[in-house]
Amino acid sequence: MAHRLEVRDFKSSVQTKEGPKEILKGVNFEALSSEIHVLMGPNGSGKSTLAYSLMDHPDYSTSGSVKLDGKEMDLMTPDERAKEGLFLGMQYPVEVPGVPLTNFLRTSLKALKGEAPALRSWPAILKGYMERLKIDPQFAYRNVNEGFSGGEKKRAEILQLEVLKPKFAILDEIDSGLDVDALKIVSEGICRSHEEGCGIILITHYARILKYVKPDLVHLFYKGRIAMSGGKDLAYKIEEEGYDDILGSLL
Amino acid sequence: MKEYDALSEPEGISSFDPEAFKDLKKSEEWKYDPIGKVEEFLQPFQPSNCACVLLNGSLVPEGDGQKLLTPKDKVEAQAFSVLKRRFHVEIPEGDCRIEVKNEGKEDCILLSLHAKADQTSSVLLTFDGKGKAIYFLEVEAENESCVSITVLCRGEGEKFVYDTTRISSMAKVKRNLLCLGAKFTRYASRAFFSGPHGEAEMNGIYFINGDGFAETRVRVAHGLPDCRSRVSYRGALLGSKAKSAWVGESIIGKDGKGSDSYELNKNFVLTPGAKSFSEPQLEIKNGDILAAGHSSSVGYFDPNQIFYLRSRGIEEKEAKEMVVSGFFEELLSQMGSDEAKEEFEQFCKRTGGFNGSQA
């Protein structure tokens, strides 16, 4: 059965010296876990704010409704949202010194599933996931994202996605800074997760990832809300014509 | 003693006469200390003879340990003037455990440890007990010895420790300090080289909770050529009244050609209101050196780190525990002492974690 994510009149503001500044001005969309949604939009349009706000980042105050399978998440903390099945793949994954990736993932699995994988079998399981993403298995014993290159960090995000198996993944510019080979590897990971039933909301600036990740819907994000939605042709149109031309016809 | 003083490049006043020093309240060296907490040590006092020293579980008889350096502050000079009991331990080859306990009234003892040339040893030394105490710890590592000494500073009693390490030619000395849950601890750790090509690694962890106070002052003096030192201290403060101070001095003397020194201090303030002071100092009198540097920081939880862990389903309390454990993990590994690691883990269990909500 497909899961359903519903976002209704979702607003988000950030505190500034001059007072609260509204970034998201009423976002509405609905996604099924059987779908891949792509979110594109000019810099500063609020795409990352949407990703972080959906996960309850402390920098943002939000209002409106976010429901996963009909359950309201508005008052949930980030860990509660993760337990409901939401995952955020970050553009700039955070380093956690002194915490090896393997320990972090095992702790996370325990938190999400209520039970940690058996210690004896865990290293081999993790190694299997890492090999598929062409991550050196030794990285399991390195501290989370510490000293990882940009591409390694992105692959580590997809590793987490594949291990944790959420219902929906919001991937914020997971393709930025990747070389052609890494882009293919990361894309394959996203597609594998999707085939296993994870809904994908992919935030990107470039249509090149759509060669591998085939979207069902493309949304054009502008000034804190979805300005236009369409099929994958919209992504190619944006890349060819630029935001100004497309948005100009709307304004 | 004069010879060693010259090698340790002492700055300021050094004297066995307590009157030679300024009143503590006016002294720069005591600016961080809650002096009211340890008033009795500031007056001449009679040692209680309650403290004892055990080597691998057996009582060590009184002996003739020597003080390596002339006192450099009033409390040290005063304590030395009333010092009656000295203990000496020839560090055995391999591993050993030394316990220093004071369960009675205030006391003052001197413990000297000596490692022979070429020997390799690892010492676990505990300062324990509910009694107040001033300890002089004098460590000598002879030529080409390789000595690791891990000091666990624990127990309720207020403590002053004046710890001096002399490192001979080509000797390698690792000094680890764990100061956990102190009510009041002032630990002065000094190291100096009495021969060229010596190495000093000075590591320390302090974790202050409640209204505790710990001050660690680390001084490494490069008075001879081609010596290397690494100082790495990390501290955390849990409780709005917790306070710590760290002062690191790296002194490269005029004969310290080829010196290589680095000192690092990082502090983690877990509870708003807690105070942490960090003061790295570097004094270079010879420009022909390999390297000299320092780094120091005082910080809070990074909300992005906590958010990252929470976004993976880990609850806030556990996320904070992971971040704090990670903060100390690197240094604990560097210490290479299973006992230090176990002591730290036990302490964390006793204090109920590091979630920062404990006032």
Side-chain angles (χ1 to χ4, degrees), chain B residues 50-189:
Chain B
C50 289
C52 62
V53 180
L54 294 99
L55 171 63
N56 293 329
S58 302
L59 270 176
V60 175
E62 285 182 43
D64 58 353
Q66 292 300 308
K67 188 155 179 15
L68 293 168
L69 296 175
T70 309
K72 281 188 66 66
D73 73 48
K74 196 178 186 78
V75 174
E76 186 179 12
Q78 206 150 264
F80 194 74
S81 71
V82 298
L83 176 76
K84 285 181 186 156
R85 295 187 303 144
R86 297 165 186 239
F87 300 85
H88 179 75
V89 172
E90 278 298 322
I91 301 173
E93 186 82 25
D95 296 348
C96 74
R97 188 182 180 104
I98 299 170
E99 294 160 80
V100 181
K101 276 186 195 168
N102 180 25
E103 298 292 1
K105 288 186 175 170
E106 61 262 31
D107 203 359
C108 170
I109 63 164
L110 182 147
L111 169 64
S112 74
L113 309 178
H114 181 257
K116 292 184 205 69
D118 299 315
Q119 87 171 64
T120 300
S121 298
S122 177
V123 180
L124 179 69
L125 170 61
T126 53
F127 288 117
D128 217 334
K130 59 178 188 285
K132 297 175 182 180
I134 297 187
Y135 298 115
F136 294 105
L137 175 63
E138 314 291 326
V139 178
E140 293 181 273
E142 301 298 354
N143 292 354
E144 296 185 49
S145 58
C146 185
V147 186
S148 167
I149 301 175
T150 298
V151 174
L152 308 181
C153 220
R154 58 192 184 188
E156 279 179 34
E158 289 90 341
K159 293 173 192 69
F160 288 88
V161 183
Y162 291 96
D163 176 335
T164 306
T165 306
R166 179 177 68 80
I167 302 158
S168 304
S169 177
M170 297 179 80
K172 287 184 183 177
V173 175
K174 183 191 259 195
R175 299 297 317 269
N176 299 323
L177 170 66
L178 251 82
C179 182
L180 307 174
K183 206 168 167 187
F184 177 99
T185 302
R186 194 176 201 269
Y187 203 109
S189 185

Side-chain angles (χ1 to χ4, degrees), chain B residues 176-316:
Chain B
N176 299 323
L177 170 66
L178 251 82
C179 182
L180 307 174
K183 206 168 167 187
F184 177 99
T185 302
R186 194 176 201 269
Y187 203 109
S189 185
R190 301 131 175 193
F192 69 95
F193 300 96
S194 60
H197 297 284
E199 281 188 35
E201 186 184 329
M202 323 273 287
N203 303 313
I205 285 177
Y206 44 90
F207 201 120
I208 321 298
N209 55 352
D211 63 349
F213 170 81
E215 176 167 345
T216 41
R217 304 183 79 90
V218 190
R219 190 182 75 209
V220 184
H222 287 254
L224 287 170
D226 304 316
C227 294
R228 182 180 190 272
S229 68
R230 290 290 179 273
V231 176
S232 185
Y233 272 64
R234 288 186 182 220
L237 296 101
L238 181 65
S240 59
K241 291 180 180 165
K243 185 177 168 186
S244 75
W246 181 87
V247 180
E249 293 172 90
S250 186
I251 302 161
I252 296 172
K254 59 185 186 318
D255 296 323
K257 185 184 170 197
S259 292
D260 179 0
S261 104
Y262 193 82
E263 51 179 10
L264 168 80
N265 176 232
K266 286 187 174 183
N267 297 280
F268 207 146
V269 177
L270 306 175
T271 317
K275 288 189 177 127
S276 178
F277 300 91
S278 180
E279 202 182 305
Q281 297 171 5
L282 187 55
E283 197 177 311
I284 305 172
K285 293 176 181 167
N286 185 326
D288 188 11
I289 59 168
L290 276 185
H294 60 221
S295 164
S296 154
S297 69
V298 177
Y300 301 94
F301 278 114
D302 175 353
N304 286 316
Q305 255 177 10
I306 303 301
F307 172 73
Y308 188 73
L309 296 174
R310 293 185 78 187
S311 76
R312 302 307 188 240
I314 299 165
E315 288 177 18
E316 185 178 13

Side-chain angles (χ1 to χ4, degrees), chain A residues 55 57 77-79 82-83 87-88 90 94-95 97-99 104 107-108 111 145 157 160, chain B residues 302-305 307-316 318 322-323 325-327 329-330:
Chain A
M55 208 69 211
H57 189 281
T77 59
D79 44 293
K83 281 173 191 148
F87 177 91
L88 172 62
M90 298 187 193
V94 181
E95 296 181 1
V99 180
F104 162 59
T107 307
S108 184
N145 294 320
E157 291 292 281
Q160 293 170 46
Chain B
D302 175 353
N304 286 316
Q305 255 177 10
F307 172 73
Y308 188 73
L309 296 174
R310 293 185 78 187
S311 76
R312 302 307 188 240
I314 299 165
E315 288 177 18
E316 185 178 13
E318 193 173 5
M322 284 175 85
V323 169
S325 295
F327 175 75
E329 182 54 40
E330 187 190 356

Side-chain angles (χ1 to χ4, degrees), chain A residues 40 207 210 215-218 228-241 246:
Chain A
M40 299 178 86
L210 307 184
D216 297 288
L217 270 170
V218 175
M228 187 191 280
S229 296
K232 69 175 173 187
D233 290 348
L234 177 59
Y236 294 115
K237 197 175 170 192
I238 290 169
E239 194 152 81
E240 275 172 32
E241 298 177 17
I246 294 171

